[in-house]
């Protein structure tokens, strides 16, 4: 993963802002107050770290994958699983 991390993060940040937005739904609302932007900053076999950019400083939040990645090609499936979970959380809160 280390060899592919920078390319994957740049791709996620620049070409998939909707995915980053979806992942941010997994962060408790109290942590999102005052956030100007959310950006992916780290990626390893265990999860992705999103940086919450605030006017008062930044906060990093880690989202763990259900299963550690064995290969970068597995990243898409793990991100999709996180997004499914995020959609489920939003649906439960909307009730």
């Amino acid at each position: 993963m280390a060899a592919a991390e920078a390319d994957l993060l740049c791709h996620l940040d620049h070409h998939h802002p909707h995915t980053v937005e979806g992942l941010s739904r997994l962060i408790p609302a109290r942590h999102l107050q005052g956030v100007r932007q959310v950006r992916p900053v780290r990626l390893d076999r265990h999860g992705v770290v999103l940086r919450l950019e605030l006017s008062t400083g930044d906060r990093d939040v880690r989202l763990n994958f259900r299963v550690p990645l064995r290969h970068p090609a597995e990243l898409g499936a793990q991100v999709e699983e996180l997004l499914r979970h995020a959609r489920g959380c939003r649906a439960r809160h909307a009730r």
Side-chain angles (χ1 to χ4, degrees), residues 2 15 19 22 29-30 33 37-38 43 49 54 61-62 64 68 88:
H15 299 288
T19 299
R30 69 182 181 276
Q33 292 177 347
Q37 188 167 8
V38 178
L43 176 67
V49 175
L54 302 136
V61 176
R62 182 176 187 81
N64 290 318

Side-chain angles (χ1 to χ4, degrees), residues 3 6 11 19 23 29 37 43-44 51-52 58 60 63-64 70-71 77 90 92:
H11 181 79
T19 299
L23 292 172
Q37 188 167 8
L43 176 67
D44 61 31
R51 176 154 296 151
L52 310 180
D58 299 336
D60 290 352
L63 303 176
N64 290 318
R70 294 176 307 231
H71 189 275
R90 186 177 55 178
R92 283 192 294 276

Side-chain angles (χ1 to χ4, degrees), residues 8-9 11-27 38-40 48 50 63 65 75-84 86-87:
L8 291 169
L9 287 170
H11 181 79
L12 182 60
D13 191 32
H14 296 290
H15 299 288
H16 298 284
H18 59 283
T19 299
V20 176
E21 179 185 336
L23 292 172
S24 70
R25 292 186 187 118
L26 292 169
I27 301 168
V38 178
R39 304 191 77 162
V48 61
L50 301 178
L63 303 176
F65 300 137
L75 177 63
Q78 289 294 334
V79 168
E80 282 299 319
E81 185 170 327
L82 286 173
L83 290 170
R84 278 193 299 277
R87 287 188 293 271

